[in-house]
Amino acid sequence: MTDPLPQIRIFDTTLRDGEQSPGASMTLREKLELAELLDAMNVDIIEAGFPAASPGDFEAVSEVARRSKRAVICGLARANEKDIDACGEAVRHAAQHRIHTFISTSPVHMKHKLKMGPNAVLEAVGRSVTHARNYTDDVEWSAEDATRTEFDFLCKCVDAAIAAGATTINLPDTVGYSHPAEYGALIRRVMETVTNSDKAVFSAHCHNDLGLAVANSLAAVSHGARQIECTINGLGERAGNAALEEIVMAMRVRSDTLPFQTDIDARQLSRASQMVSRVTGFPVQYNKAIVGKNAFAHESGIHQDGMLKHTETYEIMRPEDVGVAETSLVMGKHSGRHAFKDRLAFLGYELEGDALNDAFKRFKSLADAKKDVFDDDLIALVDEQLAAEGERFKLESLQIIAGTRGPQTADIVLAVDGVSSMAKAEGNGPVDALFKAIRAAMPHEAELDLFQVHTVTGGTDAQADVSIRLKGDGIMAVGRARDVDTLVATAQAYLHALNKLEARRKKKKLAA
Ligand code: KIV
Ligand code: ZN
């Protein structure tokens, strides 16, 4: 019998580092839905948030902890008692919980961000870990900006953290500055230098500023790390974090040279990717590894010919390995309610009662508008419905005049807290008219920061998939919507962003 491969713990931080990405905020319900999926796909540790950041974050971490089944639920805390107390209180509801406390150790961070000298930082390391241990035996300590930290000082801090009881040591490449050979060597050297390093699991946490986050994380495990911190779709600050799906599949497909294993159920990767894209409004790049629309598409004649002869000619993994359905053409206008419900269940949506009735009604009108309804259309339809629940601003009706004769005008009726508000506006083109009409019906300060249109499937009757990012008061929010009518999808996406901006503004006020 061969020895089992070393186990790598997958620490997902989509709900914490991922959510810190500008515009990627999630509602409580969205966080719970995502946490449930992460737990079901066997993520080892879910970093559910930063409890001291706001009452909303505290509530989200507590609720994720309460509902957790298998995963360790973790919260982030700075190196002070208040943060650690909030974190300990929030995570304690989970059967298995962890406090993750951190402090910067690089000269530039200590001097300009913390305004603390090395001795004070070293002292804070021991103090914070000792305090966290009052709540749990599972304490992780991170040296923020570890890759730009002076080596001897980094080792002293790691030593102090382990001596105080930290069981996981994380060495983040906070600014995405390192490269694989260097990062791997750092992990190994710290483990070899710190005398008590065998008492802790070493962890990689890499940002993607140079596009090296996944490569750096894999180098880290090849050099002794046994935990990787990552996010679905690589969501995260700036260029993001290491992408969970890429890490898991790299180890699975290349176990010959990356002889490690994880517990992740890879067949849920595609669904997790779509869910994160939906709740954040961030579209997944078409050619994104593992989960992009084109990740398994073969266009050139030579490739298609090779694939028909033998799939392994051009495919190193099968779409179904990561949960991409083999065929996605499923329904049309003659499909019944039962088939609709079954297909939704297959796609991971358990709808009942009014929610199912509403979704079925919307499916019927979609099937009237377009001949073939694909899985992606169904996902878009249900996601849309889920996203709209509880929103303050809703689209009641829209009439647009576009084309060469002009003037282009938009006539809109919105429901604002259940009360209709109508407006009509002319613009420089139909989109401009539409945005002006929304602003007239519902006056607001936010500015348009990004406007993107894709299609959900192929064909002239495909649904438009619109993303809109709004910016106001230093807050960003991304809204996303799909409809066979591009301008209706645009209006819906705008309102979705406005609703999110409003929710974030409230959260900021509460935290102040
Ligand atoms: O990137 C980073 O350094 C972090 C720490 C807080 C772990 O996210
Ligand atoms: Zn980070």
Side-chain angles (χ1 to χ4, degrees), residues 23 25 30 233 235 270-286 291 293 349 362 376-377 379-388 391 450-457 463-470 477-483 486 488-501:
S25 67
E30 290 165 344
N233 294 343
L235 189 71
S270 171
R271 187 164 166 234
S273 163
Q274 287 174 8
M275 188 186 285
V276 168
S277 172
R278 169 192 24 118
V279 299
T280 57
F282 286 24
V284 178
Q285 175 191 333
Y286 278 18
V291 290
K293 253 195 169 91
Y349 299 94
R362 298 179 67 228
D376 281 349
D377 288 316
I379 291 168
L381 181 143
V382 182
D383 284 352
E384 203 85 343
Q385 183 172 319
L386 293 175
E391 291 194 332
L450 179 128
F451 174 37
Q452 266 184 5
V453 184
H454 299 282
T455 54
V456 174
T457 58
Q463 294 196 81
D465 180 348
V466 180
S467 298
I468 282 184
R469 188 162 71 200
L470 296 178
V478 183
R480 188 167 172 199
R482 287 89 154 208
D483 198 281
T486 309
V488 171
T490 303
Q492 301 274 26
Y494 193 103
L495 293 173
H496 187 210
L498 207 55
N499 277 301
K500 282 183 139 184
L501 206 62

Side-chain angles (χ1 to χ4, degrees), residues 16-17 76 100 102 142 144-145 170 172-174 205 207 229:
R16 199 278 298 169
D17 223 349
L76 185 70
H100 175 192
F102 74 101
S142 284
E144 190 182 6
D145 206 15
N170 184 37
D173 185 24
T174 304
H205 177 116
H207 281 265
E229 306 198 354

Side-chain angles (χ1 to χ4, degrees), residues 11 13 16-17 20 47 50 76-77 100-104 109 113 140-146 170-176 205-207 229 237-238 241:
F11 176 117
T13 182
R16 199 278 298 169
D17 223 349
Q20 268 171 236
E47 187 164 53
F50 190 172
L76 185 70
H100 175 192
T101 181
F102 74 101
I103 192 164
S104 294
H109 274 219
K113 188 179 116 170
E140 171 167 337
W141 178 77
S142 284
E144 190 182 6
D145 206 15
N170 184 37
L171 301 180
D173 185 24
T174 304
V175 291
H205 177 116
C206 299
H207 281 265
E229 306 198 354
E237 297 261 25
R238 309 181 307 277
N241 289 56

